[in-house]
C-alpha cells in the first residue's frame, strides 16, 4: 500500500515508517499539518495516517478539508489521549478509524488493513435509516416524508446517532461530543434531550429507532416495537 504518515514527532514518524516498510508498504512522511494536507490532496494514497495534534493544521482540519474536497482516501487518526470527544470529532469529520497513543504496532497494521480493505467510501451528505432522513447540507430531518423540527442540540444528537447507527454510544461519549469535554451538564440533561428527540422521531411510528441501553447509553437502530 501507499501510505502517507502525517506526524510531527520525528521519532514516532521514523519508527512507523521503518515498521511499515518492513511490511513492504511504500511510506511518505509529512511533519506538519500544512505539508500533510498538500501532499494528501495532491498524490494518491491508499491510506493516510493522521496525527491530531500537528503544527500548521490539526489532523481534524486536514480530514475535514480532504472530505470537503471530495477526497475519500481512508484515514486512520492517531489521538494522544483517550478523549472520547476527540474520537467522535475525528469520526464525524471524516476519519475512518482511530488509535489512541501509545499503541502496539500490530494493532496499527490490523486497523490499516481493515480500513484499506473498505477502500474510499464517499460520505454522503444525506443519512438514511429506515424512513428517517437527515440532510446535513440543508440541516433538515424527515421521517416518512414529513419534516421534523428539531432544536440545534436535538439535531446534533440525532446526526451523531445516525452516523454511528447500530453502534451503542456510551452516555459520556454522547455528552462529550455534544457539550464538550469540560462540560458540567446535569446527569439527567442528556436523558431529557433524548426523551424529547425520541418523541419527535419515534412517536406514531411502528418502527422505533432510538433505544436506551440501560445503564450504558443509547443506540439508533431499526426495531419493531413489541
Ligand atoms: Ca503530534
Amino acid at each position: 500500500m501507499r501510505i502517507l504518515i502525517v506526524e510531527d514527532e520525528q521519532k514516532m514518524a521514523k519508527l512507523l515508517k521503518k515498521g511499515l516498510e518492513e511490511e513492504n508498504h511504500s511510506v511518505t512522511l509529512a511533519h506538519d499539518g500544512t505539508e500533510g494536507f498538500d501532499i494528501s490532496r495532491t498524490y494518491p494514497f491508499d491510506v493516510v495516517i493522521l496525527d491530531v495534534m500537528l503544527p500548521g493544521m490539526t489532523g481534524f482540519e486536514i480530514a475535514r478539508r480532504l472530505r470537503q474536497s471530495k477526497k475519500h482516501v481512508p484515514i486512520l487518526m492517531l489521538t494522544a489521549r483517550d478523549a472520547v470527544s476527540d474520537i467522535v470529532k475525528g469520526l464525524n469529520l471524516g476519519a475512518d478509524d482511530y488509535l489512541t497513543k501509545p499503541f502496539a504496532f500490530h494493532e496499527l497494521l490490523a486497523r490499516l488493513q481493515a480500513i484499506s480493505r473498505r477502500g474510499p467510501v464517499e460520505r454522503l451528505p444525506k443519512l438514511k435509516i429506515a424512513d428517517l432522513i437527515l440532510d446535513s447540507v440543508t440541516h433538515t430531518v424527515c421521517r416518512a416524508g414529513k419534516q421534523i423540527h428539531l432544536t440545534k442540540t436535538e439535531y446534533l444528537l440525532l446526526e451523531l446517532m445516525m452516523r454511528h447507527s447500530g453502534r451503542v454510544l456510551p452516555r459520556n461519549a454522547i455528552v462529550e461530543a455534544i457539550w464538550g469535554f469540560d462540560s458540567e451538564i446535569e446527569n439527567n440533561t442528556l436523558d431529557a434531550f433524548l426523551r424529547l428527540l425520541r418523541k419527535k422521531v419515534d412517536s406514531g411510528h411502528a418502527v422505533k429507532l432510538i433505544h436506551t441501553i440501560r445503564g450504558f447509553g443509547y443506540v439508533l437502530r431499526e426495531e419493531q416495537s413489541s
Side-chain angles (χ1 to χ4, degrees):
M1 289 197 287
R2 289 154 304 171
I3 301 173
L4 171 66
I5 302 174
V6 189
E7 166 64 271
D8 57 319
E9 290 155 58
Q10 303 276 347
K11 218 174 115 184
M12 174 80 159
K14 275 185 196 147
L15 258 170
L16 288 179
K17 183 173 196 287
K18 188 165 170 279
L20 290 169
E21 282 174 349
E22 279 168 10
E23 298 288 325
N24 297 319
H25 298 300
S26 134
V27 179
T28 304
L29 285 184
H31 296 292
D32 67 62
T34 320
E35 184 192 17
F37 175 63
D38 285 341
I39 296 176
S40 59
R41 184 178 52 170
T42 314
Y43 302 97
F45 291 97
D46 298 302
V47 175
V48 176
I49 301 175
L50 213 47
D51 186 30
V52 170
M53 297 306 292
L54 292 166
M57 194 188 294
T58 66
F60 291 138
E61 186 59 20
I62 296 175
R64 197 182 66 76
R65 290 195 190 188
L66 282 177
R67 297 314 185 217
Q68 209 173 38
S69 50
K70 303 267 174 251
K71 300 275 182 218
H72 305 299
V73 58
I75 295 175
L76 178 72
M77 206 88 125
L78 304 180
T79 63
R81 55 193 179 129
D82 195 5
V84 187
S85 56
D86 276 5
I87 293 164
V88 175
K89 188 173 177 188
L91 294 174
N92 276 343
L93 287 175
D96 296 271
D97 202 356
Y98 65 89
L99 269 179
T100 306
K101 292 178 179 177
F103 50 83
F105 187 70
H106 66 84
E107 182 74 33
L108 174 81
L109 280 182
R111 301 291 179 92
L112 286 179
Q113 261 146 25
I115 64 170
S116 67
R117 217 177 293 131
R118 288 206 293 268
V121 183
E122 187 172 354
R123 275 151 197 281
L124 300 169
K126 274 192 187 169
L127 302 172
K128 186 173 184 296
I129 315 287
D131 54 358
L132 177 68
I133 298 170
L134 180 145
D135 187 324
S136 62
V137 177
T138 58
H139 285 222
T140 50
V141 176
C142 288
R143 176 119 198 225
K146 245 180 91 185
Q147 191 170 349
I148 301 173
H149 297 279
L150 300 177
T151 64
K152 186 176 166 232
T153 305
E154 289 165 354
Y155 175 88
L156 290 174
L157 271 170
L158 185 66
E159 184 182 28
L160 176 73
M161 295 184 75
M162 287 182 81
R163 287 208 187 277
H164 304 283
S165 68
R167 252 192 272 174
V168 177
L169 294 171
R171 302 176 51 92
N172 63 336
I174 302 175
V175 169
E176 286 191 27
I178 304 297
W179 287 277
F181 189 55
D182 298 318
S183 65
E184 283 176 25
I185 66 158
E186 297 291 326
N187 225 347
N188 52 13
T189 304
L190 176 64
D191 303 305
F193 272 105
L194 254 303
R195 248 195 323 275
L196 288 170
L197 183 61
R198 177 182 281 156
K199 208 173 154 196
K200 290 184 179 179
V201 170
D202 278 340
S203 83
H205 296 274
V207 175
K208 305 299 178 197
L209 296 175
I210 298 172
H211 307 278
T212 309
I213 309 298
R214 207 169 285 281
F216 192 75
Y218 291 92
V219 61
L220 193 146
R221 66 181 170 221
E222 236 174 298
E223 256 176 48
Q224 208 71 34
S225 61
S226 45

PDB file of all heavy atoms in Angstrom, residues 157-177:
ATOM      1  N   LEU A 157     -27.542  15.742  18.243  1.00  0.00           N
ATOM      2  CA  LEU A 157     -27.684  14.413  18.842  1.00  0.00           C
ATOM      3  C   LEU A 157     -28.104  13.384  17.800  1.00  0.00           C
ATOM      4  O   LEU A 157     -27.536  12.297  17.702  1.00  0.00           O
ATOM      5  CB  LEU A 157     -28.767  14.445  19.935  1.00  0.00           C
ATOM      6  CG  LEU A 157     -28.330  14.806  21.347  1.00  0.00           C
ATOM      7  CD1 LEU A 157     -29.553  15.025  22.221  1.00  0.00           C
ATOM      8  CD2 LEU A 157     -27.462  13.701  21.925  1.00  0.00           C
ATOM      9  N   LEU A 158     -29.089  13.757  17.009  1.00  0.00           N
ATOM     10  CA  LEU A 158     -29.603  12.817  16.012  1.00  0.00           C
ATOM     11  C   LEU A 158     -28.540  12.520  14.949  1.00  0.00           C
ATOM     12  O   LEU A 158     -28.345  11.372  14.556  1.00  0.00           O
ATOM     13  CB  LEU A 158     -30.881  13.377  15.358  1.00  0.00           C
ATOM     14  CG  LEU A 158     -31.561  12.406  14.392  1.00  0.00           C
ATOM     15  CD1 LEU A 158     -32.101  11.194  15.151  1.00  0.00           C
ATOM     16  CD2 LEU A 158     -32.693  13.084  13.627  1.00  0.00           C
ATOM     17  N   GLU A 159     -27.829  13.563  14.510  1.00  0.00           N
ATOM     18  CA  GLU A 159     -26.797  13.352  13.496  1.00  0.00           C
ATOM     19  C   GLU A 159     -25.710  12.412  14.018  1.00  0.00           C
ATOM     20  O   GLU A 159     -25.288  11.477  13.336  1.00  0.00           O
ATOM     21  CB  GLU A 159     -26.173  14.679  13.058  1.00  0.00           C
ATOM     22  CG  GLU A 159     -25.170  14.461  11.925  1.00  0.00           C
ATOM     23  CD  GLU A 159     -24.457  15.714  11.451  1.00  0.00           C
ATOM     24  OE1 GLU A 159     -24.282  16.648  12.257  1.00  0.00           O
ATOM     25  OE2 GLU A 159     -24.065  15.746  10.269  1.00  0.00           O
ATOM     26  N   LEU A 160     -25.302  12.641  15.255  1.00  0.00           N
ATOM     27  CA  LEU A 160     -24.289  11.776  15.876  1.00  0.00           C
ATOM     28  C   LEU A 160     -24.768  10.329  15.903  1.00  0.00           C
ATOM     29  O   LEU A 160     -24.050   9.406  15.526  1.00  0.00           O
ATOM     30  CB  LEU A 160     -24.012  12.278  17.299  1.00  0.00           C
ATOM     31  CG  LEU A 160     -23.042  11.444  18.131  1.00  0.00           C
ATOM     32  CD1 LEU A 160     -21.618  11.636  17.631  1.00  0.00           C
ATOM     33  CD2 LEU A 160     -23.124  11.815  19.600  1.00  0.00           C
ATOM     34  N   MET A 161     -26.002  10.136  16.329  1.00  0.00           N
ATOM     35  CA  MET A 161     -26.521   8.773  16.448  1.00  0.00           C
ATOM     36  C   MET A 161     -26.716   8.117  15.088  1.00  0.00           C
ATOM     37  O   MET A 161     -26.509   6.920  14.921  1.00  0.00           O
ATOM     38  CB  MET A 161     -27.829   8.775  17.244  1.00  0.00           C
ATOM     39  CG  MET A 161     -27.597   9.213  18.685  1.00  0.00           C
ATOM     40  SD  MET A 161     -29.081   9.125  19.679  1.00  0.00           S
ATOM     41  CE  MET A 161     -29.206   7.369  19.927  1.00  0.00           C
ATOM     42  N   MET A 162     -27.100   8.915  14.087  1.00  0.00           N
ATOM     43  CA  MET A 162     -27.295   8.340  12.748  1.00  0.00           C
ATOM     44  C   MET A 162     -25.962   7.982  12.099  1.00  0.00           C
ATOM     45  O   MET A 162     -25.856   6.996  11.391  1.00  0.00           O
ATOM     46  CB  MET A 162     -28.080   9.308  11.857  1.00  0.00           C
ATOM     47  CG  MET A 162     -29.558   9.377  12.238  1.00  0.00           C
ATOM     48  SD  MET A 162     -30.509  10.459  11.154  1.00  0.00           S
ATOM     49  CE  MET A 162     -30.802   9.386   9.736  1.00  0.00           C
ATOM     50  N   ARG A 163     -24.932   8.803  12.349  1.00  0.00           N
ATOM     51  CA  ARG A 163     -23.612   8.491  11.789  1.00  0.00           C
ATOM     52  C   ARG A 163     -23.045   7.214  12.389  1.00  0.00           C
ATOM     53  O   ARG A 163     -22.195   6.567  11.798  1.00  0.00           O
ATOM     54  CB  ARG A 163     -22.624   9.640  12.015  1.00  0.00           C
ATOM     55  CG  ARG A 163     -22.892  10.830  11.124  1.00  0.00           C
ATOM     56  CD  ARG A 163     -21.637  11.629  10.824  1.00  0.00           C
ATOM     57  NE  ARG A 163     -21.980  12.860  10.109  1.00  0.00           N
ATOM     58  CZ  ARG A 163     -22.181  12.920   8.790  1.00  0.00           C
ATOM     59  NH1 ARG A 163     -22.054  11.853   8.053  1.00  0.00           N
ATOM     60  NH2 ARG A 163     -22.514  14.070   8.222  1.00  0.00           N
ATOM     61  N   HIS A 164     -23.491   6.893  13.579  1.00  0.00           N
ATOM     62  CA  HIS A 164     -22.987   5.692  14.247  1.00  0.00           C
ATOM     63  C   HIS A 164     -24.123   4.704  14.484  1.00  0.00           C
ATOM     64  O   HIS A 164     -24.141   4.017  15.502  1.00  0.00           O
ATOM     65  CB  HIS A 164     -22.306   6.076  15.556  1.00  0.00           C
ATOM     66  CG  HIS A 164     -21.208   7.068  15.369  1.00  0.00           C
ATOM     67  ND1 HIS A 164     -19.976   6.711  14.893  1.00  0.00           N
ATOM     68  CD2 HIS A 164     -21.177   8.403  15.519  1.00  0.00           C
ATOM     69  CE1 HIS A 164     -19.227   7.803  14.780  1.00  0.00           C
ATOM     70  NE2 HIS A 164     -19.940   8.833  15.152  1.00  0.00           N
ATOM     71  N   SER A 165     -25.059   4.660  13.558  1.00  0.00           N
ATOM     72  CA  SER A 165     -26.238   3.827  13.793  1.00  0.00           C
ATOM     73  C   SER A 165     -25.843   2.364  13.925  1.00  0.00           C
ATOM     74  O   SER A 165     -24.907   1.888  13.278  1.00  0.00           O
ATOM     75  CB  SER A 165     -27.247   4.001  12.663  1.00  0.00           C
ATOM     76  OG  SER A 165     -26.718   3.461  11.483  1.00  0.00           O
ATOM     77  N   GLY A 166     -26.554   1.677  14.804  1.00  0.00           N
ATOM     78  CA  GLY A 166     -26.258   0.277  15.052  1.00  0.00           C
ATOM     79  C   GLY A 166     -25.211   0.092  16.136  1.00  0.00           C
ATOM     80  O   GLY A 166     -25.065  -0.983  16.689  1.00  0.00           O
ATOM     81  N   ARG A 167     -24.482   1.169  16.437  1.00  0.00           N
ATOM     82  CA  ARG A 167     -23.452   1.089  17.477  1.00  0.00           C
ATOM     83  C   ARG A 167     -23.997   1.734  18.749  1.00  0.00           C
ATOM     84  O   ARG A 167     -24.560   2.835  18.703  1.00  0.00           O
ATOM     85  CB  ARG A 167     -22.210   1.863  17.054  1.00  0.00           C
ATOM     86  CG  ARG A 167     -21.047   0.931  16.688  1.00  0.00           C
ATOM     87  CD  ARG A 167     -19.770   1.715  16.549  1.00  0.00           C
ATOM     88  NE  ARG A 167     -19.610   2.231  15.193  1.00  0.00           N
ATOM     89  CZ  ARG A 167     -18.625   3.054  14.842  1.00  0.00           C
ATOM     90  NH1 ARG A 167     -17.752   3.483  15.726  1.00  0.00           N
ATOM     91  NH2 ARG A 167     -18.519   3.461  13.591  1.00  0.00           N
ATOM     92  N   VAL A 168     -23.804   1.062  19.869  1.00  0.00           N
ATOM     93  CA  VAL A 168     -24.263   1.640  21.129  1.00  0.00           C
ATOM     94  C   VAL A 168     -23.272   2.724  21.549  1.00  0.00           C
ATOM     95  O   VAL A 168     -22.075   2.485  21.639  1.00  0.00           O
ATOM     96  CB  VAL A 168     -24.362   0.565  22.231  1.00  0.00           C
ATOM     97  CG1 VAL A 168     -24.773   1.200  23.547  1.00  0.00           C
ATOM     98  CG2 VAL A 168     -25.348  -0.515  21.826  1.00  0.00           C
ATOM     99  N   LEU A 169     -23.787   3.929  21.761  1.00  0.00           N
ATOM    100  CA  LEU A 169     -22.924   5.035  22.168  1.00  0.00           C
ATOM    101  C   LEU A 169     -23.019   5.222  23.681  1.00  0.00           C
ATOM    102  O   LEU A 169     -24.114   5.447  24.205  1.00  0.00           O
ATOM    103  CB  LEU A 169     -23.340   6.321  21.455  1.00  0.00           C
ATOM    104  CG  LEU A 169     -23.141   6.339  19.941  1.00  0.00           C
ATOM    105  CD1 LEU A 169     -23.801   7.574  19.340  1.00  0.00           C
ATOM    106  CD2 LEU A 169     -21.656   6.330  19.592  1.00  0.00           C
ATOM    107  N   PRO A 170     -21.890   5.156  24.377  1.00  0.00           N
ATOM    108  CA  PRO A 170     -21.917   5.364  25.826  1.00  0.00           C
ATOM    109  C   PRO A 170     -22.367   6.790  26.152  1.00  0.00           C
ATOM    110  O   PRO A 170     -22.073   7.721  25.389  1.00  0.00           O
ATOM    111  CB  PRO A 170     -20.461   5.169  26.249  1.00  0.00           C
ATOM    112  CG  PRO A 170     -19.741   4.622  25.082  1.00  0.00           C
ATOM    113  CD  PRO A 170     -20.548   4.903  23.862  1.00  0.00           C
ATOM    114  N   ARG A 171     -23.034   6.927  27.287  1.00  0.00           N
ATOM    115  CA  ARG A 171     -23.542   8.244  27.695  1.00  0.00           C
ATOM    116  C   ARG A 171     -22.448   9.303  27.676  1.00  0.00           C
ATOM    117  O   ARG A 171     -22.636  10.397  27.149  1.00  0.00           O
ATOM    118  CB  ARG A 171     -24.120   8.168  29.111  1.00  0.00           C
ATOM    119  CG  ARG A 171     -25.235   7.182  29.307  1.00  0.00           C
ATOM    120  CD  ARG A 171     -25.623   7.169  30.775  1.00  0.00           C
ATOM    121  NE  ARG A 171     -25.857   8.538  31.214  1.00  0.00           N
ATOM    122  CZ  ARG A 171     -27.035   9.110  31.178  1.00  0.00           C
ATOM    123  NH1 ARG A 171     -28.080   8.438  30.792  1.00  0.00           N
ATOM    124  NH2 ARG A 171     -27.171  10.355  31.542  1.00  0.00           N
ATOM    125  N   ASN A 172     -21.280   8.982  28.263  1.00  0.00           N
ATOM    126  CA  ASN A 172     -20.233  10.012  28.348  1.00  0.00           C
ATOM    127  C   ASN A 172     -19.707  10.406  26.968  1.00  0.00           C
ATOM    128  O   ASN A 172     -19.318  11.542  26.744  1.00  0.00           O
ATOM    129  CB  ASN A 172     -19.101   9.575  29.292  1.00  0.00           C
ATOM    130  CG  ASN A 172     -18.377   8.341  28.806  1.00  0.00           C
ATOM    131  OD1 ASN A 172     -18.927   7.554  28.046  1.00  0.00           O
ATOM    132  ND2 ASN A 172     -17.134   8.161  29.228  1.00  0.00           N
ATOM    133  N   ALA A 173     -19.720   9.465  26.015  1.00  0.00           N
ATOM    134  CA  ALA A 173     -19.271   9.792  24.652  1.00  0.00           C
ATOM    135  C   ALA A 173     -20.231  10.788  24.012  1.00  0.00           C
ATOM    136  O   ALA A 173     -19.818  11.729  23.336  1.00  0.00           O
ATOM    137  CB  ALA A 173     -19.179   8.526  23.809  1.00  0.00           C
ATOM    138  N   ILE A 174     -21.520  10.573  24.245  1.00  0.00           N
ATOM    139  CA  ILE A 174     -22.511  11.487  23.663  1.00  0.00           C
ATOM    140  C   ILE A 174     -22.390  12.863  24.307  1.00  0.00           C
ATOM    141  O   ILE A 174     -22.345  13.889  23.614  1.00  0.00           O
ATOM    142  CB  ILE A 174     -23.940  10.931  23.852  1.00  0.00           C
ATOM    143  CG1 ILE A 174     -24.064   9.547  23.202  1.00  0.00           C
ATOM    144  CG2 ILE A 174     -24.966  11.904  23.283  1.00  0.00           C
ATOM    145  CD1 ILE A 174     -25.405   8.870  23.440  1.00  0.00           C
ATOM    146  N   VAL A 175     -22.282  12.895  25.626  1.00  0.00           N
ATOM    147  CA  VAL A 175     -22.179  14.181  26.335  1.00  0.00           C
ATOM    148  C   VAL A 175     -20.943  14.945  25.862  1.00  0.00           C
ATOM    149  O   VAL A 175     -21.015  16.131  25.547  1.00  0.00           O
ATOM    150  CB  VAL A 175     -22.131  13.955  27.870  1.00  0.00           C
ATOM    151  CG1 VAL A 175     -21.758  15.242  28.594  1.00  0.00           C
ATOM    152  CG2 VAL A 175     -23.475  13.426  28.365  1.00  0.00           C
ATOM    153  N   GLU A 176     -19.807  14.245  25.754  1.00  0.00           N
ATOM    154  CA  GLU A 176     -18.579  14.917  25.324  1.00  0.00           C
ATOM    155  C   GLU A 176     -18.674  15.426  23.895  1.00  0.00           C
ATOM    156  O   GLU A 176     -18.185  16.495  23.566  1.00  0.00           O
ATOM    157  CB  GLU A 176     -17.383  13.969  25.447  1.00  0.00           C
ATOM    158  CG  GLU A 176     -16.968  13.775  26.895  1.00  0.00           C
ATOM    159  CD  GLU A 176     -15.631  13.050  27.024  1.00  0.00           C
ATOM    160  OE1 GLU A 176     -14.811  13.158  26.083  1.00  0.00           O
ATOM    161  OE2 GLU A 176     -15.442  12.396  28.033  1.00  0.00           O
ATOM    162  N   ALA A 177     -19.324  14.633  23.040  1.00  0.00           N
ATOM    163  CA  ALA A 177     -19.421  15.030  21.632  1.00  0.00           C
ATOM    164  C   ALA A 177     -20.335  16.240  21.461  1.00  0.00           C
ATOM    165  O   ALA A 177     -20.088  17.100  20.630  1.00  0.00           O
ATOM    166  CB  ALA A 177     -19.928  13.863  20.792  1.00  0.00           C
TER     167      ALA A 177
END
